[in-house]
Amino acid sequence: MLYGEEYGNFFNIQNTKITHGKYIQTTNGFSEHRPKKGINSYEVKKNSILFYLVIAPLGYLLLKHLHHVLLPFNLKHRAECSNPNQLFETYSAPGFHQKLDLIVCVLVRFCSQAVNDPMCFPLTATLVGLATTAYTVMSVERARLSNNKLLSPIMIFFGNIIGTGVIAPMAWLPIYGWSLRKHLSKQFRNDIQHKQIRAKIGLDCSKIIPVEPSQVFGIAIATLFGQFLPVAILVSSGPSLSQRNILALFQYFPIAYGLFESIVPYFAQELNCKTRKGSTDSIRLLYVSVASVNTFLSFWVWIKWLHTSPAPDLLVKQWIDLFFSFGSTKENPVAYMLIWDNIALFTTFTYWAWLEDGKQGVKSIVKNSMLFGPGAGLALFAMKREARI
């Protein structure tokens, strides 16, 4: 007998028969089995797709709020970037499309302040690490659930424009929940015995889709060259035209990310194996690597910030005052957005951890984030989760 402590379910393996809650799976299919009594309404509700949709309105409200706070900043820099001289002083615009050059110019000015302002730099580095891990999770789950290959690049594209902390609750989590439910057999879809939709997929073996190691390698290369490498180049150089040109190129990295994620697996077919363990091990190795890089990035950035910042305690106080101003003071809108982007993104994936693993998932991501940084915390939770699913 195998006992799944995480969900409180018994799996009785005897004569090719598996009993799990409402159904008995045999070699001939499913037959109805009366569920245990005492399932409360909370368990039934958490089993609903609505739990994946409920925070989408919160993401939209945050988008509206940040748009209102950043509007003066955007209007000012849009007007300045409309001047060709100031446009080319900002970055070497290619001139393919005037409106595109204008949008990139405003984004470059935003990112330049985010990278070079002492009040913004540690927030930016923390956000980049967390967002990179979030995009890695999105890519792995996209491959697992056979979603469109453009999903992750689209999430990165909109994340660069409106914030990953906005796009994750407003778009990715609802898409993820809907994809989970779509991959359930009808027998399991109506089964109220299990709290999480993911738990049902763990039982519905016919719907578990392994992620090939070649796909994982493609995601790893995309993460390295599409996210980590540009950031490493940025933080190694000071304010300059070269740095702003790199920031401009960074706006197009969703394209590079998508190309690496799609093309690399075709040249790495020899990595594939026939066992599910090989798939799981490759994903866990990916998350360990992402966690390691994030841990180094987190410690390096904060140590550098403490050594170079003239008054760290004063900046922390300014962060707190800025957060509780809720944008009313209009001071440093870039730092204000970075604060909320970090909070919203971390909250979204903590909520995702709760949907996946309940309180244990929340404890795992919070504890590891406090020790190693939010990006590493999410990666370590995702690694631990792979052993279960």
Side-chain angles (χ1 to χ4, degrees):
M1 177 181 292
L2 301 177
Y3 177 65
E5 293 181 357
E6 194 157 5
Y7 299 107
N9 302 320
F10 287 95
F11 302 88
N12 300 314
I13 302 179
Q14 184 177 6
N15 298 327
T16 69
K17 181 185 293 185
I18 304 177
T19 305
H20 41 71
K22 187 176 178 181
Y23 299 95
I24 299 176
Q25 182 180 0
T26 65
T27 55
N28 297 324
F30 291 88
S31 60
E32 189 170 357
H33 177 70
R34 181 172 298 180
K36 297 179 181 180
K37 295 181 179 180
I39 299 176
N40 55 46
S41 59
Y42 169 78
E43 291 177 334
V44 176
K45 288 180 180 178
K46 191 175 178 183
N47 188 38
S48 172
I49 186 65
L50 292 177
F51 270 82
Y52 294 87
L53 305 177
V54 70
I55 65 172
L58 298 179
Y60 177 74
L61 290 175
L62 179 60
L63 172 63
K64 297 287 287 183
H65 174 65
L66 293 177
H67 172 74
H68 174 73
V69 173
L70 286 165
L71 185 59
F73 176 93
N74 290 333
L75 291 176
K76 173 190 173 185
H77 290 283
R78 189 181 302 172
E80 293 177 356
C81 288
S82 298
N83 185 323
N85 292 329
Q86 295 201 41
L87 173 65
F88 286 102
E89 284 179 4
T90 302
Y91 80 109
S92 303
F96 294 138
H97 193 280
Q98 184 177 0
K99 191 169 184 62
L100 180 61
D101 289 342
L102 178 61
I103 293 172
V104 172
C105 178
V106 175
L107 290 173
V108 166
R109 291 187 170 208
F110 177 95
C111 294
S112 180
Q113 182 176 337
V115 171
N116 297 306
D117 186 345
M119 189 173 178
C120 298
F121 173 67
L123 298 173
T124 302
T126 301
L127 178 62
V128 168
L130 179 56
T132 300
T133 308
Y135 295 139
T136 304
V137 171
M138 293 178 188
S139 294
V140 170
E141 296 307 313
R142 177 210 61 77
R144 178 175 283 129
L145 298 174
S146 301
N147 285 331
N148 193 295
K149 291 185 178 181
L150 294 177
L151 179 61
S152 298
I154 288 174
M155 293 294 113
I156 297 173
F157 172 77
F158 282 105
N160 286 348
I161 296 176
I162 64 176
T164 314
V166 172
I167 201 66
M170 195 169 67
W172 178 77
L173 192 61
I175 293 172
Y176 171 77
W178 186 262
S179 299
L180 279 182
R181 183 170 177 81
K182 186 177 67 175
H183 278 72
L184 282 175
S185 300
K186 291 182 179 180
Q187 295 95 328
F188 286 87
R189 190 173 295 175
N190 299 320
D191 179 12
I192 63 174
Q193 181 68 22
H194 305 289
K195 293 182 179 181
Q196 288 96 348
I197 294 179
R198 167 62 75 181
K200 294 180 180 182
I201 290 186
L203 299 176
D204 192 0
C205 297
S206 63
K207 292 293 181 179
I208 298 179
I209 303 173
V211 182
E212 297 288 357
S214 61
Q215 292 177 297
V216 178
F217 183 62
I219 295 170
I221 296 298
T223 301
L224 177 62
F225 288 97
Q227 290 291 115
F228 280 133
L229 185 60
V231 173
I233 296 173
L234 281 174
V235 298
S236 62
S237 59
S240 63
L241 180 61
S242 298
Q243 186 195 62
R244 293 193 294 274
N245 284 334
I246 295 172
L247 286 170
L249 287 173
F250 190 71
Q251 310 309 316
Y252 298 96
F253 268 110
I255 300 174
Y257 188 98
L259 289 175
F260 281 122
E261 190 181 11
S262 301
I263 295 175
V264 169
Y266 289 105
F267 297 95
Q269 295 294 323
E270 65 273 10
L271 297 177
N272 294 339
C273 54
K274 297 181 180 180
T275 63
R276 187 173 299 279
K277 185 178 182 298
S279 171
T280 301
D281 289 345
S282 63
I283 298 174
R284 285 168 64 86
L285 179 60
L286 169 64
Y287 284 134
V288 168
S289 302
V290 172
S292 301
V293 175
N294 266 291
T295 301
F296 171 78
L297 178 66
S298 180
F299 281 100
W300 178 75
V301 164
W302 285 99
I303 291 173
K304 178 182 177 181
W305 178 76
L306 288 172
H307 276 268
T308 57
S309 177
D313 54 337
L314 180 61
L315 286 178
V316 172
K317 184 179 182 301
Q318 289 178 343
W319 285 337
I320 296 172
D321 293 340
L322 190 61
F323 171 76
F324 284 106
S325 72
F326 297 106
S328 60
T329 61
K330 307 294 183 182
E331 294 181 3
N332 205 332
V334 176
Y336 183 79
M337 179 177 180
L338 291 170
I339 291 171
W340 274 103
D341 214 3
N342 273 290
I343 292 173
L345 185 58
F346 182 75
T347 303
T348 298
F349 277 91
T350 302
Y351 179 73
W352 173 70
W354 176 72
L355 289 174
E356 292 284 309
D357 279 356
K359 292 181 180 179
Q360 291 301 318
V362 174
K363 289 179 181 178
S364 174
I365 193 172
V366 171
K367 181 187 72 173
N368 288 320
S369 295
M370 293 175 65
L371 293 174
F372 309 111
L378 174 57
L380 291 173
F381 162 74
M383 182 201 69
K384 179 181 177 182
R385 167 179 167 270
E386 286 298 320
R388 172 178 61 78
I389 64 175

